[in-house]
Amino acid sequence: SIAPMTNGHMHSWDLPISWYRKGTDYALTYYLAPVISVSSNALKNPDLLDIEALQLWAGAVYKKDLDHESAWLLGLRSDHRFGPYRAYPVAGFCWQPNGNWQLQLALPDFSISHFFSHGINIKLFAEPDGNKWHVFSEDTTSSSAFIYNAVVTGVSIEWQINPTVSLEFTAVKNSKQEYSFALDDGTPVDTGAQSSTGVSASFDLIF
């Protein structure tokens, strides 16, 4: 009967900055993303924001061509995709037998993509998902960490309208969901939930 120590709404605001360099037989991608992850009552009271609310997601991935059809990739990322903050390797194999199909056998992200005409791409994928939020009670007198992680499988449809504008629609299933948080009385709780589904839409502007 005791509620979690949060007002029930959690948000993450990020500002990703990425770079891309391509050579004759390789590509290097790296990025930084400062993030604020808090409960919504902290956004209404900016004086509550402190170092606990800040995160830094980062990563670098090097992709090397083996031949005109295949490549290997190796990299390192650090974020909250597994719940607690963690630095983890990225490694795998990519195969693109023609211009329409692409297979990525990699950890921790797996995907199969099919490219159609008119800039449409359909992708099946499986990957980890998670985050950590600095949350406050309803009266903002106490705070704690709310941690979530799961395995996400789904399908996305991306439409590259032109070189600068794209739309994406995604449907996912969240499995093996785990939660770690504190109740209003300070009692720590580790629990899970049954699988759930969701949909999302995004708009990208590239410049």
Side-chain angles (χ1 to χ4, degrees), residues 137-194:
S137 58
E138 290 280 1
D139 58 9
T140 69
T141 59
S142 55
S143 64
S144 62
F146 191 104
I147 301 174
Y148 165 77
N149 70 283
V151 175
V152 175
T153 54
V155 56
S156 67
I157 301 175
E158 181 183 13
W159 179 25
Q160 190 72 46
I161 300 174
N162 57 49
T164 61
V165 178
S166 66
L167 295 174
E168 184 173 8
F169 301 92
T170 304
V172 299
K173 179 179 180 181
N174 302 285
S175 306
K176 299 183 179 179
Q177 300 184 93
E178 297 180 353
Y179 301 87
S180 178
F181 55 90
L183 300 180
D184 267 336
D185 63 358
T187 303
V189 174
D190 293 296
T191 187
Q194 295 182 347

Side-chain angles (χ1 to χ4, degrees), residues 83-104:
Y85 192 80
R86 179 182 301 177
Y88 54 92
V90 178
F93 174 79
C94 296
W95 180 50
Q96 189 166 3
N98 54 56
N100 296 327
W101 289 96
Q102 178 175 290
L103 171 65
Q104 178 175 295

Side-chain angles (χ1 to χ4, degrees), residues 18-30 61-64:
S18 61
W19 298 265
Y20 180 76
R21 178 178 297 177
K22 183 173 177 59
T24 55
D25 60 351
Y26 77 92
L28 176 63
T29 304
Y30 46 103
V61 178
Y62 179 79
K63 187 176 181 180
K64 172 72 172 178

Side-chain angles (χ1 to χ4, degrees), residues 27-43:
L28 176 63
T29 304
Y30 46 103
Y31 66 92
L32 290 173
V35 186
I36 296 177
S37 289
V38 291
S39 52
S40 59
N41 49 1
L43 296 177

Side-chain angles (χ1 to χ4, degrees), residues 12-123:
S12 289
W13 298 82
D14 63 282
L15 180 63
I17 303 169
S18 61
W19 298 265
Y20 180 76
R21 178 178 297 177
K22 183 173 177 59
T24 55
D25 60 351
Y26 77 92
L28 176 63
T29 304
Y30 46 103
Y31 66 92
L32 290 173
V35 186
I36 296 177
S37 289
V38 291
S39 52
S40 59
N41 49 1
L43 296 177
K44 298 175 184 177
N45 300 275
D47 56 304
L48 296 176
L49 300 177
D50 56 19
I51 192 66
E52 295 294 326
L54 301 179
Q55 301 173 356
L56 181 64
W57 303 345
V61 178
Y62 179 79
K63 187 176 181 180
K64 172 72 172 178
D65 293 338
L66 296 173
D67 52 43
H68 68 282
E69 292 184 354
S70 58
W72 57 264
L73 59 90
L74 185 65
L76 184 69
R77 291 178 178 169
S78 57
D79 50 43
H80 285 276
R81 294 178 72 199
F82 294 93
Y85 192 80
R86 179 182 301 177
Y88 54 92
V90 178
F93 174 79
C94 296
W95 180 50
Q96 189 166 3
N98 54 56
N100 296 327
W101 289 96
Q102 178 175 290
L103 171 65
Q104 178 175 295
L105 291 172
L107 292 175
D109 302 295
F110 167 83
S111 65
I112 301 175
S113 300
H114 185 72
F115 302 92
F116 296 88
S117 58
H118 307 295
I120 296 176
N121 170 30
I122 296 180
K123 180 172 71 172

